[in-house]
Amino acid sequence: QSATYGLLWDNQSQTPWYVYQDNGDWKQVWFDVDSSLGLKYDLSEEHNLRGVGMWALGYDGSYPELWEELRKRYGQPSALEEILSQNQIFELDQNYPNPFNPYTIFRFQLKAESEIGLYIYNTLGQKVVTLTEGRKRAGNYKIRWDASNYSSGIYFVTLSVNNKRFQSKKIMLVK
């Protein structure tokens, strides 16, 4: 969508972004492209860091540039894809809507039967809500959260799978 709204570049974070208006509300979208990821990889190598982390590669659609940047710098396609596919036994989607007031929907997918927990944490790292816990079969799940009794602010939703793997998303309640 950056082609539609105009690609902008933030020099401090070395990250592309765009802005648009939706029903009178201004929205910002920050994302990475192969060149911005390359700059982050350069920075980690320059400072002798032991690794880098990435998320949301599943949202890359049909654009291979992000994968190509990883392959170019860190390894052969077959080894990298094998490691990634073994680790992707679940996926937590971004809630919708986000920001929200007072309701939002969380969706997640499990590729295998697993012991899971879906939790909401505040910015201090305190668990404020347990949305669901227990053994779930492989499949797609949808959970609605009514945050009417909670204060405006930033929260984090975390999906725990088999108490070993975790995925979190930032969410924003605006009243």
Side-chain angles (χ1 to χ4, degrees):
Q1 292 179 330
S2 64
T4 302
Y5 299 113
L7 181 67
L8 302 169
W9 184 265
D10 180 67
N11 286 325
Q12 182 152 356
S13 68
Q14 298 291 293
T15 307
W17 65 290
Y18 63 91
V19 63
Y20 67 99
Q21 205 168 16
D22 180 31
N23 294 325
D25 294 327
W26 285 99
K27 312 270 181 158
Q28 291 182 359
V29 178
W30 296 76
F31 59 99
D32 274 306
V33 293
D34 54 338
S35 59
S36 62
L37 281 176
L39 292 169
K40 290 173 177 72
Y41 298 152
D42 290 344
L43 184 66
S44 72
E45 291 167 6
E46 177 184 316
H47 290 282
N48 230 4
L49 300 178
R50 295 181 184 239
V52 294
M54 292 182 56
W55 63 278
L57 280 175
Y59 297 110
D60 60 345
S62 61
Y63 300 100
E65 294 87 356
L66 301 178
W67 288 105
E68 291 305 320
E69 187 67 24
L70 274 172
R71 286 182 182 117
K72 181 174 82 177
R73 291 174 176 268
Y74 298 110
Q76 297 302 315
S78 58
L80 177 63
E81 287 169 357
E82 182 179 332
I83 290 167
L84 290 173
S85 68
Q86 288 173 357
N87 289 327
Q88 293 192 358
I89 61 168
F90 69 96
E91 182 68 34
L92 173 63
D93 296 337
Q94 186 66 54
N95 63 307
Y96 181 82
N98 190 35
F100 64 98
N101 177 24
Y103 301 99
T104 192
I105 302 287
F106 300 102
R107 295 177 190 267
F108 62 94
Q109 301 84 40
L110 299 174
K111 293 186 180 177
E113 186 173 331
S114 303
E115 189 72 29
I116 66 109
L118 188 65
Y119 310 104
I120 305 291
Y121 292 89
N122 63 20
T123 56
L124 299 175
Q126 300 163 324
K127 187 188 310 178
V128 296
V129 177
T130 298
L131 295 170
T132 188
E133 284 183 315
R135 193 135 198 93
K136 302 277 187 199
R137 293 182 177 172
N140 297 318
Y141 294 87
K142 178 171 86 170
I143 295 176
R144 183 176 185 246
W145 181 38
D146 177 358
S148 299
N149 297 325
Y150 294 87
S151 303
S152 293
I154 294 174
Y155 294 86
F156 296 89
V157 60
T158 297
L159 178 61
S160 163
V161 177
N162 298 326
N163 291 316
K164 294 180 190 172
R165 300 170 194 259
F166 303 88
Q167 189 174 18
S168 295
K169 304 280 185 184
K170 184 166 82 170
I171 63 175
M172 185 180 301
L173 172 60
V174 179
K175 292 188 174 185

